Amino acid sequence: MQRRQFIQTSSFALSTSPWLGNAWAQGDMPHDMNAMPGMAGMHSGGAATAAAAALAPVEAIAAGAPLAALRKLVNTSNQPRVFRATLRAAPVSLAVLQNGSPTEFWAYNNSLPGTLIEVMEGDTVEIEFINALPQPSTIHWHGLPVPPEQDGNPQDVVPAGGRRVYRFKLPLNCAGTYWYHPHPHGFTAEQVYRGLAGLFIVRAKNDPLKSIPERHLVFSDLKLGADGHIAANDMNDEMNGREGQFALVNAQRQPLLTFDAGGRERWRIWNANSARYLRLTLPGATFTLVGTDGGLLAKPVTGLTELLMTAAERMEVIVDAPKGGGKVGLVTAPVERGKMGEVPPERPITLLDVDFSAVKPERLAALPKLPGTLRRIQPLGAVKAKKRVVFSEEMSMAGGVHSMKFLVNGKNFDMQRVDFTSRINEVELWEIANDSDMDHPFHIHGTQFQVVEREVDGKVTPEPLLAWRDMVNTRSGETVRIKLVQRHKGLRMFHCHILEHENAGMMGQVNVI
């Protein structure tokens, strides 16, 4: 059955996804245990529904407050080069709506987003995780080169009420912008959209941009019912990935960023949405791209007027104040990613306002040139093995029951099945082919990769930018080729990072031997 026809004539149940923003208040509330996806019982606040409940209007959350800085996780270690701390995942009640009941979120250390971890490359990280949720959970260190047994895989869940210590040493040359979130199979989507996600920065010993004032921008969304409760997924959320009516920055609705008087800032940007892609523009200003998921580029890319980011992607950019000064909005423009069903038309969203009025024209004239070289990136060498991943969808009305699956190589995820075997330290070429009707962002655990080329309708386009990434978008009908190396033995996950799709089966496993 054709996908569009299926959507127009049916409803179906799967599971759930995105996440949120920064602490408004504190306190704990109880929560009922939720069922696994695919079973008859569905998540309270996470069940798919054919008819969407009434949502709170966008104006229900106040806008215009000064942009909040991220809370930092305190290092309790007295040892040099060791970062030691505790992360506790627990329910928390936050007063979000201006005129309504508190909303129950799940958060790390009562903070939304989760507290920022800052370490240096070469440091040892030791995090005690306390699971005060009514569900099993893990912490996945998204993008970080950590051993599989420390990476929060779904095989290594911490039970409700349990705890464990994650311990790993970060190698040199891994400086970059990362994040952490849960990864228990069947529960990931709900835990993330309820608030469980945090930020992680690995700093370089020699950072050529360290003198530039740094800004942290975490983009997320939130879907709230009119009663203040986190809203259930509807059919469109399950199909397209959940997008909340509130687009937030550092957990705030359209905050005000007062630009540094020096006229230049370094922005680290996290797209922490479950499904919303970002197409960022800042009228009158241009962006200089200096970093991707895995850290700095070899050379800056100047003169960009927009930034396109898939879900879970990160970037580092340099922003120089425009000559006109004043106040302008940072806008995300519509992105065509193949949504289906009865969805509202896409519209531009102003995410935050940027006030440049403190910057004097003479400061702009005195801005120094950026370094021409930021770091050395070597292309990965000769390929020793190849892998092919095909994303697809399967829809059925067999027996009068409407069902839908998101598949990898024609199969639904099975935690007991190993899909590929790789050898440690060997360069591999992976082909990610999108045989579905919508975009899917590909992610693999434990390593960064280099995009080599893209192919659409037989036309091959070499990737113009040599960079380290752990996220890459694949458009409908497109094949993306990447090179990667795994440096640790053990089991790794790869999947679509739209969490509804991951929960519905678009995930696989590779065993590194």
Side-chain angles (χ1 to χ4, degrees):
M1 174 174 290
Q2 291 297 311
R3 180 172 184 247
R4 187 179 298 274
Q5 178 187 356
F6 179 91
I7 296 167
Q8 290 173 344
T9 60
S10 68
S11 63
F12 52 89
L14 298 173
S15 120
T16 46
S17 160
W19 71 269
L20 348 161
N22 200 274
W24 291 280
Q26 295 185 2
D28 289 345
M29 293 177 66
H31 189 274
D32 294 331
M33 187 66 170
N34 292 300
M36 291 287 285
M39 299 177 70
M42 296 299 293
H43 300 215
S44 65
T49 57
L55 299 180
V58 172
E59 297 75 18
I61 294 180
L67 179 71
L70 301 179
R71 284 181 56 192
K72 293 185 179 180
L73 190 61
V74 176
N75 184 8
T76 62
S77 171
N78 294 319
Q79 299 173 257
R81 308 310 304 274
V82 174
F83 185 97
R84 183 178 293 118
T86 298
L87 285 172
R88 179 176 181 266
V92 59
S93 179
L94 305 177
V96 180
L97 301 181
Q98 297 184 79
N99 299 302
S101 301
T103 301
E104 180 191 319
F105 297 96
W106 293 351
Y108 294 116
N109 295 4
N110 290 340
S111 178
L112 295 172
T115 45
L116 170 64
I117 298 173
E118 284 192 83
V119 297
M120 298 291 294
E121 53 187 7
D123 283 0
T124 295
V125 177
E126 189 175 291
I127 302 292
E128 182 181 24
F129 172 50
I130 300 173
N131 182 9
L133 302 173
Q135 296 178 351
S137 192
T138 75
I139 298 180
H140 167 52
W141 309 100
H142 182 117
L144 286 165
V146 306
E149 64 273 13
Q150 303 297 326
D151 202 23
N153 285 338
Q155 296 85 0
D156 299 322
V157 295
V158 178
R163 61 178 65 198
R164 71 155 289 175
V165 174
Y166 293 97
R167 193 175 193 277
F168 48 87
K169 183 174 182 179
L170 294 168
L172 298 178
N173 301 315
C174 73
T177 304
Y178 305 96
W179 62 308
Y180 58 92
H181 60 78
H183 217 298
H185 183 50
F187 297 107
T188 300
E190 180 184 15
Q191 292 184 13
V192 173
Y193 82 65
R194 286 189 176 276
L196 286 170
L199 302 319
F200 201 116
I201 294 174
V202 180
R203 297 198 176 274
K205 293 183 177 180
N206 299 303
D207 184 347
L209 305 175
K210 65 181 179 181
S211 64
I212 300 174
E214 187 169 307
R215 188 81 65 171
H216 301 149
L217 302 177
V218 182
F219 296 101
S220 61
D221 60 8
L222 172 63
K223 186 175 182 181
L224 284 184
D227 60 359
H229 288 85
I230 294 177
N233 270 5
D234 60 24
M235 184 176 68
N236 288 325
D237 294 327
E238 299 294 354
M239 166 61 74
N240 298 311
R242 177 178 170 116
E243 292 186 9
Q245 77 269 40
F246 299 106
L248 306 177
V249 186
N250 296 5
Q252 300 168 280
R253 177 176 162 254
Q254 201 172 330
L256 176 64
L257 186 162
T258 301
F259 204 79
D260 189 86
R264 173 176 286 169
E265 290 187 356
R266 175 185 186 177
W267 289 3
R268 289 184 189 258
I269 303 173
W270 289 262
N271 183 354
N273 293 291
S274 174
R276 175 176 279 131
Y277 287 33
L278 299 174
R279 187 177 161 201
L280 302 175
T281 61
L282 188 62
T286 58
F287 302 104
T288 297
L289 181 66
V290 294
T292 48
D293 301 322
L296 295 178
L297 302 174
K299 299 179 183 297
V301 179
T302 61
L304 300 177
T305 58
E306 69 175 36
L307 304 170
L308 180 62
M309 300 181 70
T310 188
E313 188 175 1
R314 290 90 60 211
M315 287 184 177
E316 295 182 55
V317 297
I318 303 298
V319 181
D320 289 345
K323 293 181 180 179
K327 184 189 295 185
V328 297
L330 180 70
V331 175
T332 181
V335 178
E336 174 51 54
R337 60 181 183 89
K339 288 183 181 179
M340 289 291 188
E342 299 298 324
V343 295
E346 300 283 344
R347 59 181 180 84
I349 302 172
T350 300
L351 298 169
L352 77 160
D353 293 313
V354 184
D355 187 356
F356 293 105
S357 39
V359 182
K360 306 301 181 186
E362 57 269 22
R363 299 301 299 269
L364 294 177
L367 286 174
K369 289 186 177 180
L370 294 172
T373 300
L374 301 175
R375 72 187 288 199
R376 186 179 180 186
I377 300 180
Q378 287 283 84
L380 290 175
V383 171
K384 298 294 186 180
K386 295 182 179 181
K387 305 282 190 294
R388 181 173 172 83
V389 173
V390 180
F391 287 147
S392 64
E393 302 152 357
E394 182 179 286
M395 304 183 185
S396 171
M397 292 183 67
V401 177
H402 307 139
S403 65
M404 174 178 174
K405 296 178 181 179
F406 290 93
L407 307 175
V408 172
N409 292 351
K411 298 176 182 178
N412 201 259
F413 175 66
D414 182 348
M415 204 182 310
Q416 306 305 316
R417 185 186 69 240
V418 173
D419 299 275
F420 297 130
T421 300
S422 296
R423 293 189 177 277
I424 191 171
N425 296 325
E426 285 192 351
V427 177
E428 296 189 331
L429 180 72
W430 285 50
E431 287 190 340
I432 319 300
N434 187 346
D435 194 27
S436 74
D437 293 312
M438 70 184 304
D439 290 18
H440 293 290
F442 173 85
H443 171 59
I444 188 167
H445 290 199
T447 189
Q448 300 283 322
F449 53 76
Q450 296 174 354
V451 179
V452 177
E453 64 187 22
R454 301 170 188 264
E455 181 176 347
V456 179
D457 296 330
K459 181 181 179 181
V460 176
T461 303
E463 187 72 6
L465 188 63
L466 182 62
W468 291 111
R469 307 175 185 271
D470 56 63
M471 296 297 313
V472 65
N473 190 45
T474 62
R475 298 189 64 82
S476 177
E478 181 181 45
T479 296
V480 178
R481 297 182 179 93
I482 63 175
K483 283 185 178 182
L484 60 83
V485 180
Q486 293 281 5
R487 302 296 186 187
H488 296 275
K489 293 182 179 181
L491 201 61
R492 295 294 193 185
M493 320 302 296
F494 59 93
H495 56 87
C496 171
H497 216 286
I498 293 176
L499 296 183
E500 281 76 21
H501 298 172
E502 174 194 317
N503 263 19
M506 195 170 265
M507 182 159 63
Q509 300 184 114
V510 54
N511 187 33
V512 183
I513 61 175

